[in-house]
Amino acid sequence: MSRARTARRIAAGAAYGGGGLGLVGAAAVGLVLAEVQFAKRTVGTGLPDPPRADGLYGSEFGGPEQSPGPLRLGMLGDSTAAGLGVRRARQTPAALLASGLAAVAERPVELRNVALSGAMSDDLDRQVDLLLDGPEGREVPPPDVCVIMIGANDVTRRMPPTHSVRCLTSAVRRLRLAGSEVVVGTCPDLGTIEPVYQPLRWVARRVSRQLAAAQTIGVVALGARTVSMGDLLGPEFAANPREMFGPDSYHPSAEGYATAAMAVLPTLCAALGVWPESDRLDMSRDEDMLPVAKAASAAADEAGTEVTAARGPWALLKHRRRRRVPGEEPEPPARAGTGATGTPDAEAVSGPA
């Protein structure tokens, strides 16, 4: 069965309440069970909690009191969205995206990150609550744009893909109804991770790319945009793994997160209409208009590819030119931020570092 057809089945099951359509058969699961346990013991251990980066970025473009006020950016997802593996707030992908958006829009950006390390897609509903309710349950304006990075833990913990996509689309729908633009960084290709060996590597690649395609089908229908994470770090990892990945050889290093942020930034800016390029196709970059399922499948094969709705069952497949993400220091937030659990965060009080 083609990936596009499988992704359509998963997305349809998610939309219409289907059961746990499996990505691999029971025999394959049995073959890789020992490898899964080994990989879990190898990766993601011994890392400190990710630094908090909430605050105001791009203060040189104005302050919170100046009209039209800062853009509001929300970050949701798992350890990749949280920035697990780096030590400084400005090295997290959320901070990099906030700095980049401020530079492109020439407007300050207020960042709030509610991502949680280890989260699966079923945690997104809680994260949306935190983002829309604000600190300590106070009502706050919805973000202008949200970035969601999710899916890797769904694969490694064997969440049924229909449930995974259903949880993601529910979160995207809530954010869209609140008035936010949404960009989803789809499930990365877990077959590129060094501690993952055969036959798990082949299975991990297959299931993660199928999930990425199904995520794209589900959220594009709601007016969101996706960016394929795919094997974004694969070539760089093979050439220089010590720089691109952190100590556990699983989570990105600061350089790895910068690479991922550069892939997402053009789509983030385009969602707000501030990217200098239009949504028109550029044939010199192999851009195309395809049925949504085919566009989703093609994007899963090529990291950094954007998929956005066109008309009817069609979607645009875009390869936007990347720009270096500024690494500016953020301003300290005006008030205490909150962590993913909703409790005050000490670093948010003193300001990101």
Side-chain angles (χ1 to χ4, degrees):
M1 184 184 300
S2 70
R3 182 187 303 141
R5 186 176 177 185
T6 301
R8 280 198 302 268
R9 289 181 62 191
I10 295 170
Y16 298 110
L21 174 64
L23 291 172
V24 292
V29 171
L31 273 175
V32 302
L33 184 58
E35 290 285 352
V36 170
Q37 297 305 319
F38 175 77
K40 285 182 177 179
R41 289 196 301 269
T42 304
V43 302
T45 58
L47 296 178
D49 291 338
R52 296 294 300 174
D54 293 16
L56 187 69
Y57 293 73
S59 59
E60 66 270 25
F61 300 113
E65 70 286 346
Q66 296 181 349
S67 180
L71 291 167
R72 297 179 296 276
L73 169 63
M75 193 80 172
L76 308 88
D78 54 23
S79 57
T80 302
L84 184 66
V86 298
R87 297 183 178 276
R88 298 178 68 84
R90 67 166 182 252
Q91 297 172 326
T92 62
L96 293 167
L97 289 173
S99 295
L101 177 59
V104 174
E106 297 185 345
R107 187 173 165 185
V109 173
E110 186 177 350
L111 168 67
R112 185 146 185 258
N113 191 347
V114 295
L116 177 66
S117 295
M120 296 190 291
S121 292
D122 57 6
D123 189 59
L124 289 176
D125 188 58
R126 182 191 64 84
Q127 295 183 28
V128 172
D129 284 342
L130 289 173
L131 203 58
L132 297 183
D133 291 344
E136 300 177 359
R138 294 193 298 268
E139 185 175 350
V140 295
D144 295 294
V145 63
C146 293
V147 175
I148 303 174
M149 293 181 175
I150 201 77
N153 295 322
D154 296 9
V155 173
T156 60
R157 298 179 188 177
R158 297 169 57 191
M159 173 182 283
T162 49
H163 183 55
S164 172
V165 174
R166 189 180 302 123
C167 291
L168 173 60
T169 54
S170 175
V172 170
R173 184 180 294 108
R174 289 182 62 194
L175 292 170
R176 295 288 292 146
L177 289 174
S180 300
E181 298 292 337
V182 180
V183 175
V184 175
T186 56
C187 181
D189 182 351
L190 299 178
T192 64
I193 306 302
E194 189 178 56
V196 179
Y197 301 104
Q198 297 292 9
L200 178 59
R201 180 173 296 223
W202 178 85
V203 176
R205 171 172 285 112
R206 179 185 173 194
V207 299
S208 53
R209 290 191 178 192
Q210 285 178 347
L211 179 58
Q215 288 175 320
T216 295
I217 294 172
V219 305
V220 165
L222 299 173
R225 302 179 185 226
T226 64
V227 179
S228 169
M229 295 290 99
D231 60 348
L232 184 67
L233 301 180
E236 290 88 349
F237 179 87
N240 204 339
R242 291 190 177 182
E243 287 190 7
M244 298 308 296
F245 277 70
D248 64 353
S249 297
Y250 182 84
H251 293 92
S253 64
E255 290 81 1
Y257 280 126
T259 300
M262 281 192 292
V264 175
L265 179 63
T267 300
L268 171 64
C269 295
L272 292 174
V274 298
W275 193 247
E277 301 172 18
S278 71
D279 280 342
R280 287 180 296 181
L281 298 176
D282 186 339
M283 304 309 293
S284 67
R285 283 182 278 174
D286 296 324
E287 297 182 343
D288 204 350
M289 182 183 290
L290 299 170
V292 174
K294 289 187 176 180
S297 179
D301 279 334
E302 186 171 352
T305 303
E306 173 189 323
V307 180
T308 185
R311 56 180 179 271
W314 298 86
L316 298 179
L317 197 70
K318 297 282 295 178
H319 302 107
R320 297 186 186 274
R321 290 190 177 92
R322 303 179 192 176
R323 297 185 178 184
R324 183 169 295 279
V325 179
E328 71 172 345
E329 291 275 356
E331 291 278 319
R335 61 177 181 272
T338 59
T341 59
T343 56
D345 185 272
E347 188 171 355
V349 176
S350 60

